[in-house]
PDB file of all heavy atoms in Angstrom:
ATOM      1  N   GLY A 260    -106.436  -0.752 109.036  1.00 78.00           N
ATOM      2  CA  GLY A 260    -105.388  -1.557 108.450  1.00 78.00           C
ATOM      3  C   GLY A 260    -104.728  -2.486 109.443  1.00 78.00           C
ATOM      4  O   GLY A 260    -104.108  -3.482 109.072  1.00 78.00           O
ATOM      5  N   ILE A 261    -104.851  -2.165 110.747  1.00 85.00           N
ATOM      6  CA  ILE A 261    -104.270  -2.997 111.805  1.00 85.00           C
ATOM      7  C   ILE A 261    -105.367  -3.644 112.631  1.00 85.00           C
ATOM      8  O   ILE A 261    -105.314  -4.823 112.960  1.00 85.00           O
ATOM      9  CB  ILE A 261    -103.337  -2.161 112.710  1.00 85.00           C
ATOM     10  CG1 ILE A 261    -102.157  -1.627 111.888  1.00 85.00           C
ATOM     11  CG2 ILE A 261    -102.835  -2.994 113.891  1.00 85.00           C
ATOM     12  CD1 ILE A 261    -101.242  -0.704 112.652  1.00 85.00           C
ATOM     13  N   GLY A 262    -106.377  -2.841 112.992  1.00 83.00           N
ATOM     14  CA  GLY A 262    -107.476  -3.361 113.793  1.00 83.00           C
ATOM     15  C   GLY A 262    -107.533  -2.696 115.149  1.00 83.00           C
ATOM     16  O   GLY A 262    -107.070  -1.569 115.336  1.00 83.00           O
ATOM     17  N   ILE A 263    -108.083  -3.404 116.133  1.00 88.00           N
ATOM     18  CA  ILE A 263    -108.237  -2.870 117.481  1.00 88.00           C
ATOM     19  C   ILE A 263    -106.934  -3.044 118.249  1.00 88.00           C
ATOM     20  O   ILE A 263    -106.352  -4.133 118.258  1.00 88.00           O
ATOM     21  CB  ILE A 263    -109.382  -3.578 118.228  1.00 88.00           C
ATOM     22  CG1 ILE A 263    -110.685  -3.515 117.431  1.00 88.00           C
ATOM     23  CG2 ILE A 263    -109.571  -2.955 119.610  1.00 88.00           C
ATOM     24  CD1 ILE A 263    -111.170  -2.113 117.154  1.00 88.00           C
ATOM     25  N   ILE A 264    -106.487  -1.966 118.897  1.00 88.00           N
ATOM     26  CA  ILE A 264    -105.264  -2.042 119.706  1.00 88.00           C
ATOM     27  C   ILE A 264    -105.590  -1.628 121.141  1.00 88.00           C
ATOM     28  O   ILE A 264    -106.501  -0.846 121.388  1.00 88.00           O
ATOM     29  CB  ILE A 264    -104.139  -1.151 119.139  1.00 88.00           C
ATOM     30  CG1 ILE A 264    -104.555   0.330 119.159  1.00 88.00           C
ATOM     31  CG2 ILE A 264    -103.765  -1.574 117.729  1.00 88.00           C
ATOM     32  CD1 ILE A 264    -103.424   1.267 118.784  1.00 88.00           C
ATOM     33  N   ASN A 265    -104.828  -2.190 122.085  1.00 91.00           N
ATOM     34  CA  ASN A 265    -104.978  -1.878 123.502  1.00 91.00           C
ATOM     35  C   ASN A 265    -103.920  -0.844 123.866  1.00 91.00           C
ATOM     36  O   ASN A 265    -102.739  -1.157 123.984  1.00 91.00           O
ATOM     37  CB  ASN A 265    -104.823  -3.142 124.348  1.00 91.00           C
ATOM     38  CG  ASN A 265    -105.160  -2.902 125.811  1.00 91.00           C
ATOM     39  OD1 ASN A 265    -104.894  -1.831 126.354  1.00 91.00           O
ATOM     40  ND2 ASN A 265    -105.744  -3.900 126.456  1.00 91.00           N
ATOM     41  N   VAL A 266    -104.342   0.397 124.039  1.00 92.00           N
ATOM     42  CA  VAL A 266    -103.413   1.501 124.283  1.00 92.00           C
ATOM     43  C   VAL A 266    -102.679   1.334 125.604  1.00 92.00           C
ATOM     44  O   VAL A 266    -101.462   1.547 125.687  1.00 92.00           O
ATOM     45  CB  VAL A 266    -104.172   2.843 124.245  1.00 92.00           C
ATOM     46  CG1 VAL A 266    -103.272   3.997 124.662  1.00 92.00           C
ATOM     47  CG2 VAL A 266    -104.735   3.094 122.852  1.00 92.00           C
ATOM     48  N   ALA A 267    -103.400   0.958 126.661  1.00 89.00           N
ATOM     49  CA  ALA A 267    -102.774   0.816 127.981  1.00 89.00           C
ATOM     50  C   ALA A 267    -101.700  -0.261 127.980  1.00 89.00           C
ATOM     51  O   ALA A 267    -100.641  -0.101 128.599  1.00 89.00           O
ATOM     52  CB  ALA A 267    -103.837   0.515 129.038  1.00 89.00           C
ATOM     53  N   SER A 268    -101.951  -1.373 127.285  1.00 90.00           N
ATOM     54  CA  SER A 268    -100.969  -2.455 127.234  1.00 90.00           C
ATOM     55  C   SER A 268     -99.729  -2.049 126.455  1.00 90.00           C
ATOM     56  O   SER A 268     -98.607  -2.441 126.794  1.00 90.00           O
ATOM     57  CB  SER A 268    -101.588  -3.705 126.601  1.00 90.00           C
ATOM     58  OG  SER A 268    -102.656  -4.189 127.388  1.00 90.00           O
ATOM     59  N   MET A 269     -99.922  -1.246 125.408  1.00 92.00           N
ATOM     60  CA  MET A 269     -98.799  -0.868 124.551  1.00 92.00           C
ATOM     61  C   MET A 269     -97.986   0.297 125.109  1.00 92.00           C
ATOM     62  O   MET A 269     -96.764   0.323 125.006  1.00 92.00           O
ATOM     63  CB  MET A 269     -99.303  -0.520 123.149  1.00 92.00           C
ATOM     64  CG  MET A 269     -99.904  -1.694 122.398  1.00 92.00           C
ATOM     65  SD  MET A 269    -100.571  -1.215 120.782  1.00 92.00           S
ATOM     66  CE  MET A 269     -99.085  -0.702 119.928  1.00 92.00           C
ATOM     67  N   PHE A 270     -98.661   1.280 125.703  1.00 92.00           N
ATOM     68  CA  PHE A 270     -97.979   2.510 126.105  1.00 92.00           C
ATOM     69  C   PHE A 270     -98.004   2.766 127.610  1.00 92.00           C
ATOM     70  O   PHE A 270     -97.471   3.779 128.070  1.00 92.00           O
ATOM     71  CB  PHE A 270     -98.610   3.713 125.386  1.00 92.00           C
ATOM     72  CG  PHE A 270     -98.553   3.608 123.890  1.00 92.00           C
ATOM     73  CD1 PHE A 270     -99.680   3.228 123.172  1.00 92.00           C
ATOM     74  CD2 PHE A 270     -97.384   3.873 123.199  1.00 92.00           C
ATOM     75  CE1 PHE A 270     -99.648   3.124 121.787  1.00 92.00           C
ATOM     76  CE2 PHE A 270     -97.342   3.774 121.818  1.00 92.00           C
ATOM     77  CZ  PHE A 270     -98.469   3.396 121.110  1.00 92.00           C
ATOM     78  N   GLY A 271     -98.643   1.891 128.377  1.00 90.00           N
ATOM     79  CA  GLY A 271     -98.683   2.064 129.822  1.00 90.00           C
ATOM     80  C   GLY A 271     -99.991   2.671 130.296  1.00 90.00           C
ATOM     81  O   GLY A 271    -100.695   3.340 129.541  1.00 90.00           O
ATOM     82  N   ILE A 272    -100.278   2.466 131.570  1.00 89.00           N
ATOM     83  CA  ILE A 272    -101.563   2.897 132.123  1.00 89.00           C
ATOM     84  C   ILE A 272    -101.720   4.410 132.099  1.00 89.00           C
ATOM     85  O   ILE A 272    -102.828   4.933 132.052  1.00 89.00           O
ATOM     86  CB  ILE A 272    -101.722   2.342 133.566  1.00 89.00           C
ATOM     87  CG1 ILE A 272    -103.164   2.484 134.045  1.00 89.00           C
ATOM     88  CG2 ILE A 272    -100.760   3.042 134.516  1.00 89.00           C
ATOM     89  CD1 ILE A 272    -104.163   1.710 133.255  1.00 89.00           C
ATOM     90  N   ARG A 273    -100.624   5.161 132.104  1.00 91.00           N
ATOM     91  CA  ARG A 273    -100.706   6.622 132.091  1.00 91.00           C
ATOM     92  C   ARG A 273    -101.177   7.157 130.740  1.00 91.00           C
ATOM     93  O   ARG A 273    -101.485   8.338 130.617  1.00 91.00           O
ATOM     94  CB  ARG A 273     -99.349   7.232 132.437  1.00 91.00           C
ATOM     95  CG  ARG A 273     -98.905   6.964 133.873  1.00 91.00           C
ATOM     96  CD  ARG A 273     -97.561   7.561 134.175  1.00 91.00           C
ATOM     97  NE  ARG A 273     -97.575   9.010 134.089  1.00 91.00           N
ATOM     98  CZ  ARG A 273     -96.503   9.772 134.250  1.00 91.00           C
ATOM     99  NH1 ARG A 273     -95.326   9.204 134.506  1.00 91.00           N
ATOM    100  NH2 ARG A 273     -96.593  11.074 134.167  1.00 91.00           N
ATOM    101  N   SER A 274    -101.251   6.303 129.746  1.00 93.00           N
ATOM    102  CA  SER A 274    -101.680   6.741 128.416  1.00 93.00           C
ATOM    103  C   SER A 274    -103.201   6.746 128.268  1.00 93.00           C
ATOM    104  O   SER A 274    -103.719   7.085 127.206  1.00 93.00           O
ATOM    105  CB  SER A 274    -101.070   5.840 127.338  1.00 93.00           C
ATOM    106  OG  SER A 274    -101.535   4.510 127.495  1.00 93.00           O
ATOM    107  N   VAL A 275    -103.932   6.406 129.342  1.00 94.00           N
ATOM    108  CA  VAL A 275    -105.389   6.347 129.283  1.00 94.00           C
ATOM    109  C   VAL A 275    -105.967   7.143 130.450  1.00 94.00           C
ATOM    110  O   VAL A 275    -105.489   7.032 131.590  1.00 94.00           O
ATOM    111  CB  VAL A 275    -105.904   4.890 129.345  1.00 94.00           C
ATOM    112  CG1 VAL A 275    -107.418   4.845 129.373  1.00 94.00           C
ATOM    113  CG2 VAL A 275    -105.378   4.093 128.166  1.00 94.00           C
ATOM    114  N   ARG A 276    -106.985   7.956 130.176  1.00 93.00           N
ATOM    115  CA  ARG A 276    -107.713   8.684 131.208  1.00 93.00           C
ATOM    116  C   ARG A 276    -109.181   8.326 131.144  1.00 93.00           C
ATOM    117  O   ARG A 276    -109.720   8.055 130.072  1.00 93.00           O
ATOM    118  CB  ARG A 276    -107.578  10.201 131.011  1.00 93.00           C
ATOM    119  CG  ARG A 276    -106.233  10.757 131.355  1.00 93.00           C
ATOM    120  CD  ARG A 276    -106.311  12.251 131.553  1.00 93.00           C
ATOM    121  NE  ARG A 276    -107.270  12.615 132.601  1.00 93.00           N
ATOM    122  CZ  ARG A 276    -107.279  13.796 133.191  1.00 93.00           C
ATOM    123  NH1 ARG A 276    -106.403  14.722 132.849  1.00 93.00           N
ATOM    124  NH2 ARG A 276    -108.162  14.065 134.132  1.00 93.00           N
ATOM    125  N   ARG A 277    -109.853   8.326 132.297  1.00 92.00           N
ATOM    126  CA  ARG A 277    -111.274   7.980 132.340  1.00 92.00           C
ATOM    127  C   ARG A 277    -112.132   9.107 131.770  1.00 92.00           C
ATOM    128  O   ARG A 277    -113.108   8.851 131.065  1.00 92.00           O
ATOM    129  CB  ARG A 277    -111.714   7.694 133.778  1.00 92.00           C
ATOM    130  CG  ARG A 277    -111.168   6.403 134.333  1.00 92.00           C
ATOM    131  CD  ARG A 277    -111.730   6.139 135.730  1.00 92.00           C
ATOM    132  NE  ARG A 277    -113.167   5.975 135.688  1.00 92.00           N
ATOM    133  CZ  ARG A 277    -113.785   4.818 135.468  1.00 92.00           C
ATOM    134  NH1 ARG A 277    -113.085   3.734 135.250  1.00 92.00           N
ATOM    135  NH2 ARG A 277    -115.109   4.751 135.467  1.00 92.00           N
ATOM    136  N   GLU A 278    -111.785  10.372 132.080  1.00 93.00           N
ATOM    137  CA  GLU A 278    -112.577  11.497 131.614  1.00 93.00           C
ATOM    138  C   GLU A 278    -111.728  12.759 131.582  1.00 93.00           C
ATOM    139  O   GLU A 278    -110.682  12.840 132.216  1.00 93.00           O
ATOM    140  CB  GLU A 278    -113.813  11.712 132.507  1.00 93.00           C
ATOM    141  CG  GLU A 278    -113.493  11.903 133.975  1.00 93.00           C
ATOM    142  CD  GLU A 278    -114.744  11.947 134.837  1.00 93.00           C
ATOM    143  OE1 GLU A 278    -115.823  11.544 134.362  1.00 93.00           O
ATOM    144  OE2 GLU A 278    -114.630  12.394 135.991  1.00 93.00           O
ATOM    145  N   LYS A 279    -112.187  13.753 130.827  1.00 95.00           N
ATOM    146  CA  LYS A 279    -111.452  15.014 130.697  1.00 95.00           C
ATOM    147  C   LYS A 279    -112.422  16.080 130.216  1.00 95.00           C
ATOM    148  O   LYS A 279    -113.336  15.806 129.441  1.00 95.00           O
ATOM    149  CB  LYS A 279    -110.293  14.876 129.690  1.00 95.00           C
ATOM    150  CG  LYS A 279    -109.399  16.106 129.603  1.00 95.00           C
ATOM    151  CD  LYS A 279    -108.531  16.242 130.835  1.00 95.00           C
ATOM    152  CE  LYS A 279    -107.621  17.473 130.760  1.00 95.00           C
ATOM    153  NZ  LYS A 279    -108.335  18.730 131.025  1.00 95.00           N
ATOM    154  N   THR A 280    -112.213  17.312 130.680  1.00 94.00           N
ATOM    155  CA  THR A 280    -113.021  18.416 130.166  1.00 94.00           C
ATOM    156  C   THR A 280    -112.695  18.642 128.689  1.00 94.00           C
ATOM    157  O   THR A 280    -111.559  18.434 128.255  1.00 94.00           O
ATOM    158  CB  THR A 280    -112.734  19.709 130.949  1.00 94.00           C
ATOM    159  OG1 THR A 280    -111.330  19.975 130.922  1.00 94.00           O
ATOM    160  CG2 THR A 280    -113.213  19.605 132.381  1.00 94.00           C
ATOM    161  N   ILE A 281    -113.694  19.074 127.936  1.00 95.00           N
ATOM    162  CA  ILE A 281    -113.487  19.389 126.526  1.00 95.00           C
ATOM    163  C   ILE A 281    -113.200  20.885 126.434  1.00 95.00           C
ATOM    164  O   ILE A 281    -114.078  21.713 126.626  1.00 95.00           O
ATOM    165  CB  ILE A 281    -114.723  19.007 125.679  1.00 95.00           C
ATOM    166  CG1 ILE A 281    -114.985  17.506 125.808  1.00 95.00           C
ATOM    167  CG2 ILE A 281    -114.521  19.398 124.213  1.00 95.00           C
ATOM    168  CD1 ILE A 281    -116.247  17.041 125.089  1.00 95.00           C
ATOM    169  N   ASP A 282    -111.934  21.220 126.179  1.00 95.00           N
ATOM    170  CA  ASP A 282    -111.486  22.613 126.187  1.00 95.00           C
ATOM    171  C   ASP A 282    -111.279  23.184 124.789  1.00 95.00           C
ATOM    172  O   ASP A 282    -111.310  24.399 124.603  1.00 95.00           O
ATOM    173  CB  ASP A 282    -110.165  22.734 126.964  1.00 95.00           C
ATOM    174  CG  ASP A 282    -110.257  22.132 128.354  1.00 95.00           C
ATOM    175  OD1 ASP A 282    -111.136  22.571 129.116  1.00 95.00           O
ATOM    176  OD2 ASP A 282    -109.467  21.220 128.671  1.00 95.00           O
ATOM    177  N   LEU A 283    -111.035  22.317 123.817  1.00 95.00           N
ATOM    178  CA  LEU A 283    -110.712  22.760 122.459  1.00 95.00           C
ATOM    179  C   LEU A 283    -111.202  21.724 121.459  1.00 95.00           C
ATOM    180  O   LEU A 283    -111.043  20.518 121.676  1.00 95.00           O
ATOM    181  CB  LEU A 283    -109.192  22.948 122.321  1.00 95.00           C
ATOM    182  CG  LEU A 283    -108.649  23.346 120.953  1.00 95.00           C
ATOM    183  CD1 LEU A 283    -109.117  24.742 120.558  1.00 95.00           C
ATOM    184  CD2 LEU A 283    -107.120  23.286 120.949  1.00 95.00           C
ATOM    185  N   ILE A 284    -111.813  22.193 120.374  1.00 95.00           N
ATOM    186  CA  ILE A 284    -112.245  21.301 119.286  1.00 95.00           C
ATOM    187  C   ILE A 284    -111.363  21.560 118.073  1.00 95.00           C
ATOM    188  O   ILE A 284    -111.176  22.715 117.669  1.00 95.00           O
ATOM    189  CB  ILE A 284    -113.713  21.556 118.905  1.00 95.00           C
ATOM    190  CG1 ILE A 284    -114.638  21.354 120.109  1.00 95.00           C
ATOM    191  CG2 ILE A 284    -114.146  20.642 117.757  1.00 95.00           C
ATOM    192  CD1 ILE A 284    -116.069  21.804 119.864  1.00 95.00           C
ATOM    193  N   ILE A 285    -110.818  20.506 117.522  1.00 94.00           N
ATOM    194  CA  ILE A 285    -110.025  20.610 116.286  1.00 94.00           C
ATOM    195  C   ILE A 285    -110.689  19.729 115.232  1.00 94.00           C
ATOM    196  O   ILE A 285    -110.813  18.518 115.413  1.00 94.00           O
ATOM    197  CB  ILE A 285    -108.564  20.198 116.497  1.00 94.00           C
ATOM    198  CG1 ILE A 285    -107.899  21.136 117.515  1.00 94.00           C
ATOM    199  CG2 ILE A 285    -107.799  20.208 115.182  1.00 94.00           C
ATOM    200  CD1 ILE A 285    -106.439  20.831 117.784  1.00 94.00           C
ATOM    201  N   SER A 286    -111.135  20.347 114.151  1.00 92.00           N
ATOM    202  CA  SER A 286    -111.801  19.615 113.068  1.00 92.00           C
ATOM    203  C   SER A 286    -110.812  19.339 111.948  1.00 92.00           C
ATOM    204  O   SER A 286    -110.132  20.251 111.469  1.00 92.00           O
ATOM    205  CB  SER A 286    -112.984  20.428 112.522  1.00 92.00           C
ATOM    206  OG  SER A 286    -113.977  20.589 113.501  1.00 92.00           O
ATOM    207  N   PHE A 287    -110.717  18.077 111.535  1.00 92.00           N
ATOM    208  CA  PHE A 287    -109.898  17.681 110.393  1.00 92.00           C
ATOM    209  C   PHE A 287    -110.779  17.661 109.146  1.00 92.00           C
ATOM    210  O   PHE A 287    -111.845  17.028 109.149  1.00 92.00           O
ATOM    211  CB  PHE A 287    -109.302  16.285 110.597  1.00 92.00           C
ATOM    212  CG  PHE A 287    -108.216  16.220 111.641  1.00 92.00           C
ATOM    213  CD1 PHE A 287    -107.666  14.995 112.004  1.00 92.00           C
ATOM    214  CD2 PHE A 287    -107.731  17.362 112.250  1.00 92.00           C
ATOM    215  CE1 PHE A 287    -106.665  14.913 112.954  1.00 92.00           C
ATOM    216  CE2 PHE A 287    -106.721  17.304 113.204  1.00 92.00           C
ATOM    217  CZ  PHE A 287    -106.194  16.070 113.560  1.00 92.00           C
ATOM    218  N   VAL A 288    -110.354  18.340 108.107  1.00 89.00           N
ATOM    219  CA  VAL A 288    -111.068  18.309 106.828  1.00 89.00           C
ATOM    220  C   VAL A 288    -110.080  17.935 105.726  1.00 89.00           C
ATOM    221  O   VAL A 288    -108.927  18.379 105.740  1.00 89.00           O
ATOM    222  CB  VAL A 288    -111.721  19.677 106.511  1.00 89.00           C
ATOM    223  CG1 VAL A 288    -112.801  19.997 107.531  1.00 89.00           C
ATOM    224  CG2 VAL A 288    -110.696  20.794 106.482  1.00 89.00           C
ATOM    225  N   PRO A 289    -110.487  17.095 104.784  1.00 87.00           N
ATOM    226  CA  PRO A 289    -109.578  16.734 103.687  1.00 87.00           C
ATOM    227  C   PRO A 289    -109.216  17.981 102.860  1.00 87.00           C
ATOM    228  O   PRO A 289    -110.089  18.792 102.542  1.00 87.00           O
ATOM    229  CB  PRO A 289    -110.395  15.739 102.861  1.00 87.00           C
ATOM    230  CG  PRO A 289    -111.479  15.261 103.779  1.00 87.00           C
ATOM    231  CD  PRO A 289    -111.775  16.405 104.683  1.00 87.00           C
ATOM    232  N   TRP A 290    -107.939  18.117 102.549  1.00 81.00           N
ATOM    233  CA  TRP A 290    -107.506  19.273 101.756  1.00 81.00           C
ATOM    234  C   TRP A 290    -107.995  19.130 100.318  1.00 81.00           C
ATOM    235  O   TRP A 290    -108.047  18.042  99.756  1.00 81.00           O
ATOM    236  CB  TRP A 290    -105.985  19.377 101.766  1.00 81.00           C
ATOM    237  CG  TRP A 290    -105.490  20.585 101.043  1.00 81.00           C
ATOM    238  CD1 TRP A 290    -105.297  21.828 101.535  1.00 81.00           C
ATOM    239  CD2 TRP A 290    -105.123  20.658  99.656  1.00 81.00           C
ATOM    240  NE1 TRP A 290    -104.840  22.688 100.577  1.00 81.00           N
ATOM    241  CE2 TRP A 290    -104.725  21.996  99.392  1.00 81.00           C
ATOM    242  CE3 TRP A 290    -105.106  19.733  98.611  1.00 81.00           C
ATOM    243  CZ2 TRP A 290    -104.303  22.419  98.143  1.00 81.00           C
ATOM    244  CZ3 TRP A 290    -104.683  20.157  97.355  1.00 81.00           C
ATOM    245  CH2 TRP A 290    -104.301  21.496  97.138  1.00 81.00           C
ATOM    246  N   ARG A 291    -108.398  20.240  99.736  1.00 78.00           N
ATOM    247  CA  ARG A 291    -108.774  20.268  98.319  1.00 78.00           C
ATOM    248  C   ARG A 291    -108.372  21.626  97.765  1.00 78.00           C
ATOM    249  O   ARG A 291    -108.170  22.598  98.512  1.00 78.00           O
ATOM    250  CB  ARG A 291    -110.277  20.041  98.150  1.00 78.00           C
ATOM    251  CG  ARG A 291    -111.152  21.130  98.761  1.00 78.00           C
ATOM    252  CD  ARG A 291    -112.638  20.850  98.594  1.00 78.00           C
ATOM    253  NE  ARG A 291    -113.437  21.968  99.083  1.00 78.00           N
ATOM    254  CZ  ARG A 291    -113.745  22.175 100.343  1.00 78.00           C
ATOM    255  NH1 ARG A 291    -113.315  21.316 101.265  1.00 78.00           N
ATOM    256  NH2 ARG A 291    -114.464  23.232 100.700  1.00 78.00           N
ATOM    257  N   GLU A 292    -108.274  21.712  96.477  1.00 77.00           N
ATOM    258  CA  GLU A 292    -107.891  22.957  95.823  1.00 77.00           C
ATOM    259  C   GLU A 292    -108.899  24.056  96.154  1.00 77.00           C
ATOM    260  O   GLU A 292    -110.104  23.874  96.043  1.00 77.00           O
ATOM    261  CB  GLU A 292    -107.836  22.747  94.297  1.00 77.00           C
ATOM    262  CG  GLU A 292    -107.152  23.882  93.555  1.00 77.00           C
ATOM    263  CD  GLU A 292    -105.659  23.947  93.817  1.00 77.00           C
ATOM    264  OE1 GLU A 292    -105.023  22.872  93.936  1.00 77.00           O
ATOM    265  OE2 GLU A 292    -105.125  25.074  93.920  1.00 77.00           O
ATOM    266  N   GLY A 293    -108.392  25.169  96.608  1.00 67.00           N
ATOM    267  CA  GLY A 293    -109.241  26.316  96.910  1.00 67.00           C
ATOM    268  C   GLY A 293    -109.854  26.305  98.301  1.00 67.00           C
ATOM    269  O   GLY A 293    -110.669  27.178  98.610  1.00 67.00           O
ATOM    270  N   ILE A 294    -109.474  25.348  99.139  1.00 72.00           N
ATOM    271  CA  ILE A 294    -110.044  25.298 100.496  1.00 72.00           C
ATOM    272  C   ILE A 294    -109.611  26.540 101.275  1.00 72.00           C
ATOM    273  O   ILE A 294    -108.481  27.028 101.141  1.00 72.00           O
ATOM    274  CB  ILE A 294    -109.587  24.008 101.221  1.00 72.00           C
ATOM    275  CG1 ILE A 294    -110.392  23.838 102.512  1.00 72.00           C
ATOM    276  CG2 ILE A 294    -108.098  24.035 101.534  1.00 72.00           C
ATOM    277  CD1 ILE A 294    -110.159  22.504 103.199  1.00 72.00           C
TER     278      ILE A 294
END
């Protein structure tokens, strides 16, 4: 709805990291009746 945004320009250079270990996976699923 907005498009591409530059995170570092908007929130500062500390808002971006080059790499990070993957320690936790969180899956988003659309809610439905009986889920």
Side-chain angles (χ1 to χ4, degrees):
I261 297 175
I263 306 300
I264 62 172
N265 188 325
V266 173
S268 297
M269 294 177 65
F270 301 102
I272 193 63
R273 293 179 64 183
S274 63
V275 176
R276 287 198 58 162
R277 289 184 63 88
E278 56 187 16
K279 186 73 180 77
T280 55
I281 300 176
D282 307 303
L283 177 66
I284 301 171
I285 298 181
S286 295
F287 289 175
V288 295
W290 183 88
R291 64 181 185 278
E292 193 69 37
I294 191 172

